Amino acid sequence: MSYTFRIGPYDTNKLLPQVSKALEKRTELISRERFPGMWKLTDKFNSMARGRTRGRLRTGMMSILCILLGLVLFVPGLMEPQKLFVPLTTGAVAIGAGIGGLRRSRKQKNPFDKSARLLLAGKDNILTEQGAGVCFSDDGMTIISDNADAAFVAYSDFECVIETADAFLLVYRDRAAVLQKSDSTTDNIDEFYQFISQKIKSVSLSPQADIK
């Protein structure tokens, strides 16, 4: 059994947000392995907030209200901290919650966009005329190029593979590579993902992940 990808030019505009999220997910995977206790609490808080339907505007207004109420309690508490310890503490918590809410209500740019852009730009220099390709067999991955000898990478050298809607992020030997699904010589991408998932630690960010 083998699967081949013939390397073609990246669709950068389409792939940039996907690769950015994949790099973010890879960082999360590493963090989860190193700090499982912290992530246990994080997942608990995320599950508690998952059912909320407040809009961004309402969240911002509530956050501002928290800050104002927090200041009302916090400032007097600073003047007499021993007598007003509870208002001081409550005010500090309210201010922190308000600031956190404002940050979450803003549409923030993914900090991994820069790394994703650099990763995609590096591959843009590879032209399809060079005959570059990647082949996955039962033993590992082979990188083929007309201008260089074939390079073999055993599956034991892989850290992970992350699937997105249109690509795969491969991390191996402290390197990262992106394969577009459109570059596959087979139409059965699901079959390839099932195959590679048995060889390498795999995570899917594809919208179809729940169906697989």
Side-chain angles (χ1 to χ4, degrees), residues 42-94:
T42 300
D43 291 338
K44 182 177 180 180
F45 288 136
N46 287 339
S47 64
M48 292 171 60
R50 196 164 291 162
R52 297 176 183 174
T53 58
R54 290 185 302 177
R56 184 176 299 168
L57 178 60
R58 185 180 177 186
T59 300
M61 294 178 63
M62 292 297 294
S63 299
I64 293 174
L65 181 60
C66 281
I67 293 175
L68 293 176
L69 291 176
L71 289 173
V72 171
L73 296 172
F74 185 72
V75 174
L78 285 177
M79 299 175 64
E80 296 184 89
Q82 294 181 348
K83 294 182 179 180
L84 301 175
F85 177 75
V86 173
L88 175 65
T89 304
T90 304
V93 172

Side-chain angles (χ1 to χ4, degrees), residues 25-196:
K25 186 64 178 181
R26 184 249 177 171
T27 302
E28 178 187 327
L29 292 175
I30 296 175
S31 178
R32 284 182 179 276
E33 291 181 356
R34 296 180 180 177
F35 310 105
M38 179 191 72
W39 278 101
K40 185 177 181 180
L41 290 175
T42 300
D43 291 338
K44 182 177 180 180
F45 288 136
N46 287 339
S47 64
M48 292 171 60
R50 196 164 291 162
R52 297 176 183 174
T53 58
R54 290 185 302 177
R56 184 176 299 168
L57 178 60
R58 185 180 177 186
T59 300
M61 294 178 63
M62 292 297 294
S63 299
I64 293 174
L65 181 60
C66 281
I67 293 175
L68 293 176
L69 291 176
L71 289 173
V72 171
L73 296 172
F74 185 72
V75 174
L78 285 177
M79 299 175 64
E80 296 184 89
Q82 294 181 348
K83 294 182 179 180
L84 301 175
F85 177 75
V86 173
L88 175 65
T89 304
T90 304
V93 172
I95 293 172
I99 293 175
L102 285 177
R103 289 178 177 175
R104 289 190 297 271
S105 66
R106 296 173 182 172
K107 187 176 180 180
Q108 296 181 349
K109 188 175 181 180
N110 193 320
F112 292 89
D113 283 353
K114 182 177 181 180
S115 297
R117 189 174 288 106
L118 291 174
L119 181 59
L120 293 172
K123 189 265 182 183
D124 281 337
N125 296 324
I126 301 177
L127 304 178
T128 55
E129 290 78 14
Q130 292 178 320
V134 178
C135 180
F136 295 88
S137 65
D138 288 330
D139 299 323
M141 179 182 75
T142 303
I143 303 173
I144 307 168
S145 175
D146 290 345
N147 298 331
D149 295 334
F152 178 77
V153 182
Y155 290 126
S156 58
D157 292 331
F158 277 83
E159 177 187 307
C160 65
V161 56
I162 300 176
E163 180 193 24
T164 71
D166 300 291
F168 296 98
L169 174 69
L170 309 173
V171 183
Y172 61 97
R173 296 177 181 173
D174 295 326
R175 297 180 180 180
V178 176
L179 292 179
Q180 294 182 115
K181 292 181 178 179
S182 59
D183 289 340
S184 173
T185 59
T186 177
D187 294 331
N188 198 337
I189 290 295
D190 290 345
E191 183 179 293
F192 168 73
Y193 182 74
Q194 292 174 5
F195 167 81
I196 206 67

